[in-house]
Amino acid sequence: MSETLAKSNQTKRWQEMDAAHHLHPFTTHHDLAKAGVRVITKAKGVYIWDSEGNRLIDGMAGLWCVQVGYGREELAEAGYKALKELPFYNSFFQTTTPYTAELSQKLSEIAPKGIDRFFFANSGSEGNDSAVKIIRYYWNLKKQPKKKIFIARKKAYHGVTLAAASLSGITAMHPQADLPLPGFVHIDCPYWYGDGGDMTPEEFGLKTARALEEKILELGAENVAAFVAEPVQGAGGLIIPPANYWGEINRICKKYDILLHVDEVICGFGRTGKWFGSDTFGIEPDMINMAKGLSSGYQPIAAVGLGQRVGDVIFNSDEEWSHGFTYSGHPVACAVALANLEVMQKEHLVEKAGGATGAYFQKKLAELADHPIVGETRGVGLLGAIELVKNKKTRERFDPALEVGYRCRLHCFANGLVMRAIGDTMVLSPPLVISESEIDELFGLARRCIDLVAGDIGKQ
């Protein structure tokens, strides 16, 4: 009894400290302070524990990122070794570190074809913000300074800096900071289940891809700098495009001389069953942005990868490139990222995500489609989405006032599962190391929680 009381008292102290001094991302702070924040204290494999000793299976790999699972000694040792030898030095002053150079080389070996120069940042948001500057600089160097407009997609998530949030097509992010900035426009996304109506996926794929061509013609190709998109839209609701979508996008970008910048922050490093989502979907990027799985979240690090078209122009410029961060290519972060990639290669985690592990995950996901309030399941590799709907046949949604997805998320936390709600779409993205028995546990809990939601709203 005394041990339980001690834990509860300590949790209360942490909650009070947090409420008084910590501003959280995407939070209504006074509501969180009143409810009391959950304090996560340890993690191992695919599990996390809170300060009250409750264990949860992490169906979101932290935030789409812990590919190799928690508690990997190899990554901790790599970071410790770097901290002892070279805890920090910068990439300014015409210097580098062994870890930065070696990570650049390693990324050139696994990145999509032709992507072979890398600029390091500290988050996906910083990476996409940097990409906007790189693309503008490229067109200035090419003597086409009018090409400044960026086209992205509705429901896209590209980060939270002023430029990255302007790229993002989640409109709730915009009003508080008077966004988007000028020069950022959005077109429809390929969300067939939500928006496809009576069209086949193939018809809808072409329609939404050709929305890019229509927008380019409307704006004038001479004014458009780039199309920016995720291979699979993550935070927008795990939107997987129809099979013909990306081929048409490749064609349009080439036809109108538009750079294709692919945001691989979620899809990169095995999540879709290949090293990058571009490989999975046959995308031909001029540039990519990566973060999250690059270090499995063990250290903050991101990288913008440039193909020869952009990279050679910037490399061969005679003027100094005026961009960079204090922590660009941080030696400890690079050391941990190298160790992370070594573990992924040694344990064939990408191959497993695209093979037996991914296939078993998708099989168990598809089994949820028989549930009375599940309208569709969809996924690729170790990504999965579950659409909660009022009417399976018509795809009619629940009344938003019921907060069905939010209810499901709360039931998940209460029953030992982390599963994210994006509206009434539940999404999963577990560590790539997840075993079949852990997949069984995950989907058993998911079904139980969906059952509880159905009971809440009288739809059993």
Side-chain angles (χ1 to χ4, degrees):
M1 179 65 73
S2 61
E3 183 180 350
T4 301
L5 287 172
K7 282 184 178 179
S8 295
N9 289 337
Q10 180 62 72
T11 296
K12 185 177 179 181
R13 284 193 290 271
W14 282 326
Q15 289 175 331
E16 290 170 348
M17 294 174 191
D18 197 87
H21 305 293
H22 180 200
L23 294 177
H24 288 251
F26 290 88
T27 297
T28 305
H29 290 96
H30 61 82
D31 288 344
L32 179 61
K34 182 178 179 180
V37 69
R38 182 185 296 272
V39 183
I40 303 301
T41 56
K42 68 175 183 177
K44 184 71 175 177
V46 300
Y47 297 99
I48 60 173
W49 284 262
D50 68 19
S51 56
E52 295 296 284
N54 299 304
R55 189 187 80 165
L56 301 93
I57 188 166
D58 187 3
M60 282 304 300
L63 197 57
W64 318 86
C65 56
V66 187
Q67 317 296 62
V68 300
Y70 296 99
R72 297 302 298 247
E73 292 289 337
E74 304 96 317
L75 274 65
E77 290 169 1
Y80 179 54
K81 180 176 181 288
L83 281 165
K84 288 193 298 181
E85 291 179 353
L86 184 64
F88 173 68
Y89 203 69
N90 62 74
S91 297
F92 292 68
F93 311 143
Q94 299 181 332
T95 66
T96 192
T97 75
Y99 306 108
T100 315
E102 289 177 15
L103 182 58
S104 301
Q105 173 64 33
K106 173 60 72 174
L107 289 176
S108 73
E109 296 168 2
I110 64 174
K113 183 179 179 181
I115 304 292
D116 64 356
R117 286 194 175 94
F118 302 90
F119 168 76
F120 291 105
N122 307 291
S123 70
S125 295
E126 281 188 7
N128 279 324
D129 197 284
S130 299
V132 169
K133 291 180 71 176
I134 290 168
I135 290 167
R136 286 184 168 181
Y137 181 41
Y138 168 81
W139 287 117
N140 287 341
L141 289 172
K142 293 288 288 182
K143 309 301 183 186
Q144 297 187 64
K146 290 176 61 180
K147 289 177 78 69
K148 289 293 189 292
I149 298 175
F150 290 80
I151 301 175
R153 299 183 295 190
K154 297 174 183 177
K155 298 183 184 294
Y157 183 81
H158 297 294
V160 295
T161 63
L162 287 173
S166 295
L167 283 172
S168 296
I170 299 174
T171 55
M173 296 171 58
H174 293 158
Q176 292 177 354
D178 305 313
L179 298 175
L181 297 172
F184 295 86
V185 299
H186 298 87
I187 59 173
D188 288 340
C189 64
Y191 182 23
W192 176 78
Y193 185 79
D195 301 328
D198 295 330
M199 284 183 280
T200 66
E202 292 74 22
E203 290 169 340
F204 189 68
L206 286 179
K207 176 180 181 292
T208 49
R210 289 173 182 169
L212 172 61
E213 188 165 30
E214 292 168 9
K215 183 59 69 174
I216 292 168
L217 292 173
E218 174 191 327
L219 297 169
E222 71 279 8
N223 299 313
V224 178
F227 178 57
V228 180
E230 308 154 86
V232 173
Q233 290 179 243
L238 202 69
I239 298 168
I240 302 172
N244 59 350
Y245 176 83
W246 277 111
E248 187 69 357
I249 293 292
N250 288 334
R251 180 191 70 79
I252 293 166
C253 288
K254 286 181 172 62
K255 178 178 178 180
Y256 294 99
D257 195 24
I258 306 302
L259 291 179
L260 177 54
H261 174 56
V262 179
D263 185 345
E264 293 270 9
V265 169
I266 287 174
C267 294
F269 303 100
R271 181 57 57 190
T272 62
K274 292 185 181 293
W275 274 104
F276 289 89
S278 295
D279 301 323
T280 301
F281 294 99
I283 308 170
E284 299 171 8
D286 295 297
M287 297 168 50
I288 63 173
N289 186 35
M290 64 192 85
K292 295 188 184 292
L294 174 54
S295 70
S296 282
Y298 278 55
Q299 285 284 292
I301 187 170
V304 182
L306 308 182
Q308 291 180 349
R309 176 183 180 183
V310 178
D312 286 356
V313 168
I314 290 177
F315 181 82
N316 291 317
S317 172
D318 291 329
E319 69 177 273
E320 179 179 278
W321 182 36
S322 301
H323 185 64
F325 305 109
T326 299
Y327 301 127
S328 293
H330 193 291
V332 178
C334 289
V336 172
L338 280 164
N340 175 63
L341 298 178
E342 183 177 339
V343 167
M344 292 184 67
Q345 290 182 317
K346 182 174 66 176
E347 299 183 4
H348 306 289
L349 295 183
V350 176
E351 292 81 0
K352 289 176 181 178
T357 303
Y360 192 72
F361 178 86
Q362 295 300 327
K363 173 178 177 290
K364 300 302 289 187
L365 172 68
E367 289 174 3
L368 291 176
D370 67 0
H371 197 282
I373 66 168
V374 173
E376 181 188 63
T377 64
R378 59 180 177 272
V380 59
L382 283 170
L383 286 169
I386 305 158
E387 295 277 8
L388 304 182
V389 296
K390 182 178 180 179
N391 187 308
K392 292 166 71 81
K393 185 175 182 180
T394 66
R395 307 181 196 171
E396 180 187 357
R397 301 285 182 174
F398 288 104
D399 183 339
L402 289 174
E403 297 186 306
V404 169
Y406 179 65
R407 286 172 183 264
C408 188
R409 188 187 77 175
L410 292 181
H411 281 305
C412 288
F413 271 109
N415 286 274
L417 170 64
V418 180
M419 180 163 65
R420 182 172 176 178
I422 300 172
D424 289 346
T425 304
M426 308 306 297
V427 298
L428 289 162
S429 172
L432 304 190
V433 295
I434 194 168
S435 67
E436 288 194 2
S437 63
E438 290 163 344
I439 290 172
D440 289 338
E441 179 186 356
L442 185 155
F443 283 106
L445 291 169
R447 184 176 287 275
R448 180 191 306 173
C449 295
I450 296 170
D451 284 341
L452 290 169
V453 173
D456 290 345
I457 59 177
K459 292 285 289 185
Q460 288 176 302

